[in-house]
Structures are given as structure tokens and as C-alpha cells.
């Protein structure tokens, strides 16, 4: 879907490049290509060369020509064959050839040297990852990842508008699940209800989303725990079914944990939810410009343990944007401050030994006066 060029975002990147004395960025991660050019590729065979002065160049495969024409902010697009009868190398290597040639005209080049993960492309199933040849081709490159992380941590008006669409789709899908969920369904069937709505109804949402992709982990009752896959356990009537969910709408994400109970909630879950919502409220009160990120982590973890619950084994706050998980991260041993324009996923959770528990999570835009919750689906699901 076409969006106007986001000059506020691109201008911030160029100012940071000037401070870091970088003449150009060469990026390959699908989320950074999207961030700098508005092009979201199919298979990760794409790259962008983004100069401090002048127009960026998008590199992609020939079959993506129409997608580039429809969405990319740059008119300078270099195409490589998706298949070349004379060249057995994969398309990503041909894209590297073009990127290397373009970057040769710049003295100081930044590369994603310390990037740990990358967001999915539109195909998702086989993310294209880096090869040693990519890094070896730019032996004098500086690490551009800290610069891109800093730029991406603050959202522009356009970015927030795009994230609102992802949040709307996720909430509508949860409302659909709340109407349709039945005891005895498999967790995987519950997940399929949510995913089908996101992909089916979210694609084309309000005429503003070209492609909506769903990702979920779903557990019910005693199946609720961290870092396990959706299974075939049955949905419980009087216990929550927890949906750890992500929507990607044309490359911009939301990250939520929402719950549904198809019957009257068991009393022990009532007490657990009350405790978590109290911790949640104190954490959100803390989230104001210049507030400490380490203190946010401490507030949530101390609040959970003070309630007599086990400390969660997962992070409790991180940024969201062109990835579902991106900087900044709140960690008590780390640093940093909360700033106006950040969008944070905040997710206190507590889990019982042997299975069961709860997590609540939403995305919050940091404003001058506090935070704005971006999803309309309630955290108190009772």
C-alpha cells in the first residue's frame, strides 16, 4: 500500500548519519529496507543504499518491479534476475554485486554488522539470512545498527498511523475469537480462528492494508506457560485461553497478549488477574518522558514478586515498530530512558509451577502526558 514519503523519519536518519560521519547506509534486513524505502520484499533478496545526500537506491528482483513501482519512495530501483540461466548463484548474491558497486562511491559506509534478528519478508516461510560474503564485501564498514536502532526507537506520525492499523486488526480478531471460542476446541483450532480473521479480514483492512500476516502462540488453562508452542490441548471452560499474538500490516507490527474465558473465570485466576492489573497500572504510571527504562523493569518484577508470585522468565517491555521486538528494551541492569514518541509493548506475567498462569500485554504510545493504549481489546477480559 502506498504511503507518502515520511520525510520526518528519513530526516532523522540523515541527521544521525551526519553525527556519525557516515556517507551512506547499506541495509539488507527486510525491516530496514522497509524503514528507509517503504518497500517490503517477497523473499528477502532486497537491499537499499541510503546516502546522506541524494536519493536512495532500492535493489530487488525483477518479478518485484510492480511492487516497487506501487510502494517504494525512491524512483531509483535496480533490478536483478530472480533466475539467470548463465548464473547459478542465488539472487541475494546478485543483489550484493549491485550494492557493492553502488557503495564504492562513498568513503564512510554503515552496515548492519551487529543485527541479531530480522523481521520477516512477505513470504515469511524461508527468511533469507546473511552470508559471510555480504560482510566481507564491505571490509571498512562501520556498524550502522546502533544508528538505525536510535532512529527507529522514536515513531513518526505516519509510523504510529500504520501501527494503529495493525492494532485494530488484532483487536477485531480477538473480538471474533471471543464470540466463537468454545470449551473442548484444540488450542490450535483457537489459534486458527484468530489467524484466519487477521489474514482474511485484515488484508485490505479499511482500504489501507495490502497484506496482513498473523503470528500466534495459544495456550489454555494448565497449558499456559512461556516458550512453548501451540498444541492440541483442549480449551478450558473456566480458565483463560491466552493468545500471544502479533499482526504485521504491510511491515508494521503490533505485539499483544490477550485472554478469553468461555465460561465463568475460576476464582484463583480472578485473584491472579487482579494482582497483574495492579502491577500493570503502576508500570504505566511510570511511563513518561525521561523516566528510567531500568526502573520500569524493576517496578514490574518487584510488583509481581511482592504479590507472592514467581518472577517472569521473559522480558517485560520492549519497542515495537518495523519489527515485533525492537529496541529499546527495559532491563534493570541496562540503561536508557523512556521518550515521547516511543511505542512500548509492556507485558507483566506470572505462571504457576506445573502449568497455568496469566500474562497481559498491549502496545503503548508514549506521549507528553503519559501513555496511550493502542488496542481497543481489554486487558481485563472479564
Amino acid at each position: 500500500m502506498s504511503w507518502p514519503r515520511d520525510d520526518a523519519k528519513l530526516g532523522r536518519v540523515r541527521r544521525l548519519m551526519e553525527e556519525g560521519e557516515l556517507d551512506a547506509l547499506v541495509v539488507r534486513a527486510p525491516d530496514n529496507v522497509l524503514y528507509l524505502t517503504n518497500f517490503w520484499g517477497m523473499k528477502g533478496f532486497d537491499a537499499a543504499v541510503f546516502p546522506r545526500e541524494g536519493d536512495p537506491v532500492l535493489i530487488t528482483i525483477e518479478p518485484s518491479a510492480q511492487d516497487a513501482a506501487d510502494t517504494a519512495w525512491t524512483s531509483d530501483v535496480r533490478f536483478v534476475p530472480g533466475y539467470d540461466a548463465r548464473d547459478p548463484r542465488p539472487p541475494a548474491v546478485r543483489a550484493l554485486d549491485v550494492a557493492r558497486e553502488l557503495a564504492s562511491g562513498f568513503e564512510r559506509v554503515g552496515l548492519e554488522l551487529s543485527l541479531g534478528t530480522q523481521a520477516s519478508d512477505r513470504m515469511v516461510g524461508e527468511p533469507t539470512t546473511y552470508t559471510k560474503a555480504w560482510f566481507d564485501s564491505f571490509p571498512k564498514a562501520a556498524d550502522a545498527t546502533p544508528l538505525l536502532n536510535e532512529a527507529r526507537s522514536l515513531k513518526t506520525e505516519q509510523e504510529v498511523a500504520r501501527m494503529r492499523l495493525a492494532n485494530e486488526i488484532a483487536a477485531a480478531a480477538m473480538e471474533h475469537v471471543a464470540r466463537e471460542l468454545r470449551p473442548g476446541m484444540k488450542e490450535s483450532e483457537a489459534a486458527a480462528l484468530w489467524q484466519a480473521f487477521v489474514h482474511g479480514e485484515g488484508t485490505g483492512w479499511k482500504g489501507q492494508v495490502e497484506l496482513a500476516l498473523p503470528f500466534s502462540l495459544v495456550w489454555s488453562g494448565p497449558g499456559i506457560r512461556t516458550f512453548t508452542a501451540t498444541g492440541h490441548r483442549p480449551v478450558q471452560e473456566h480458565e483463560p485461553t491466552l493468545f500471544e499474538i502479533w499482526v504485521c500490516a504491510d511491515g508494521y507490527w503490533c505485539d499483544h497478549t490477550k485472554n478469553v474465558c468461555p465460561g465463568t473465570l475460576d476464582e484463583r485466576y480472578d485473584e491472579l488477574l487482579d494482582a497483574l492489573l495492579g502491577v500493570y497500572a503502576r508500570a504505566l504510571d511510570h511511563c513518561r518522558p525521561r523516566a528510567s527504562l531500568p526502573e520500569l523493569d524493576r517496578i514490574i518484577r518487584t510488583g509481581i514478586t511482592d504479590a507472592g508470585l514467581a518472577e517472569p522468565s521473559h522480558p517485560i517491555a520492549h519497542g515495537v515498530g518495523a519489527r515485533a521486538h525492537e529496541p529499546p528494551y527495559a532491563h534493570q541492569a541496562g540503561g536508557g530512558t523512556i521518550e515521547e514518541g516511543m511505542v512500548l509493548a509492556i507485558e507483566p506475567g506470572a505462571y504457576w509451577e506445573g502449568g497455568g498462569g496469566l500474562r497481559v500485554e498491549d502496545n503503548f504510545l508514549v506521549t507528553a502526558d503519559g501513555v496511550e493504549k493502542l488496542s481497543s481489546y481489554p486487558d481485563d477480559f472479564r
Side-chain angles (χ1 to χ4, degrees):
M1 197 64 67
S2 179
W3 288 81
R5 190 177 64 194
D6 194 343
D7 289 323
K9 179 171 70 174
L10 302 183
R12 182 164 65 241
V13 173
R14 288 192 164 107
R15 287 191 295 275
L16 290 169
M17 291 172 68
E18 184 173 6
E19 292 173 11
E21 299 181 336
L22 290 178
D23 299 315
L25 305 178
V26 180
V27 300
R28 240 205 75 175
D31 45 316
N32 283 327
V33 174
L34 171 83
Y35 187 76
L36 296 174
T37 72
N38 200 48
F39 177 80
W40 189 27
M42 278 295 297
K43 279 282 290 176
F45 296 146
D46 320 288
V49 178
F50 186 86
R52 192 168 76 200
E53 298 179 1
D55 292 331
V57 181
L58 172 66
I59 307 163
T60 188
I61 54 176
E62 291 168 346
S64 292
Q66 190 59 53
D67 287 340
D70 290 342
T71 63
W73 287 332
T74 178
S75 58
D76 193 347
V77 183
R78 311 292 174 91
F79 297 103
V80 298
Y83 173 82
D84 188 331
R86 300 163 299 175
D87 185 355
R89 300 178 305 164
V93 179
R94 290 191 282 275
L96 170 58
D97 288 344
V98 178
R100 185 193 300 116
E101 180 184 354
L102 291 168
S104 66
F106 299 99
E107 184 175 349
R108 285 275 294 167
V109 173
L111 206 67
E112 303 145 310
L113 296 179
S114 58
L115 183 70
T117 61
Q118 64 181 24
S120 63
D121 48 59
R122 285 196 290 159
M123 186 173 174
V124 175
E126 293 182 303
T128 303
T129 55
Y130 296 85
T131 62
K132 185 173 182 293
W134 179 266
F135 300 102
D136 288 347
S137 295
F138 304 93
K140 297 182 180 180
D143 186 7
T145 298
L147 181 155
L148 288 163
N149 287 345
E150 182 177 351
R152 286 174 52 168
S153 68
L154 302 180
K155 291 353 184 227
T156 62
E157 289 184 11
Q158 183 187 115
E159 290 184 284
V160 173
R162 297 173 73 161
M163 295 177 73
R164 288 187 193 280
L165 292 169
N167 275 267
E168 288 175 12
I169 294 166
M174 282 307 306
E175 290 162 3
H176 170 70
V177 168
R179 292 190 296 268
E180 300 295 330
L181 192 70
R182 300 289 181 270
M185 280 182 173
K186 292 187 294 184
E187 291 172 343
S188 56
E189 291 175 314
L193 279 175
W194 184 85
Q195 290 192 351
F197 186 98
V198 170
H199 191 43
E201 299 296 326
T203 298
W205 185 262
K206 294 184 173 180
Q208 294 179 275
V209 176
E210 187 71 25
L211 176 63
L213 294 174
F215 304 85
S216 69
L217 294 168
V218 177
W219 313 301
S220 190
I224 296 173
R225 59 194 74 203
T226 57
F227 302 113
T228 58
T230 300
H232 54 78
R233 294 172 291 260
V235 167
Q236 303 297 305
E237 183 173 6
H238 301 298
E239 299 179 62
T241 296
L242 183 151
F243 288 73
E244 170 64 56
I245 49 177
W246 307 264
V247 171
C248 182
D250 291 339
Y252 272 85
W253 295 69
C254 66
D255 177 8
H256 301 156
T257 305
K258 303 299 182 183
N259 300 274
V260 181
C261 181
T264 302
L265 191 64
D266 184 278
E267 183 177 332
R268 63 185 182 140
Y269 277 102
D270 258 324
E271 295 172 358
L272 178 57
L273 181 57
D274 285 340
L276 282 179
L277 291 175
V279 173
Y280 208 17
R282 292 192 291 277
L284 297 180
D285 284 344
H286 174 77
C287 291
R288 297 177 181 276
R290 306 304 298 167
S292 163
L293 274 166
E295 185 61 22
L296 175 60
D297 189 37
R298 284 190 285 268
I299 287 169
I300 290 178
R301 294 184 184 279
T302 301
I304 289 171
T305 55
D306 284 351
L309 302 166
E311 182 180 324
S313 60
H314 55 78
I316 52 75
H318 59 83
V320 187
R323 285 208 307 269
H325 297 77
E326 64 180 33
Y329 294 92
H331 193 289
Q332 59 187 304
T337 55
I338 297 166
E339 300 296 343
E340 184 176 356
M342 287 181 174
V343 176
L344 299 177
I346 300 176
E347 48 182 315
Y351 314 93
W352 295 315
E353 187 174 351
L358 271 178
R359 180 160 72 248
V360 290
E361 179 186 15
D362 212 301
N363 300 161
F364 297 90
L365 171 64
V366 180
T367 71
D369 302 318
V371 292
E372 177 193 348
K373 183 175 181 286
L374 295 184
S375 172
S376 61
Y377 193 82
D379 294 299
D380 189 342
F381 56 97
R382 294 167 295 192

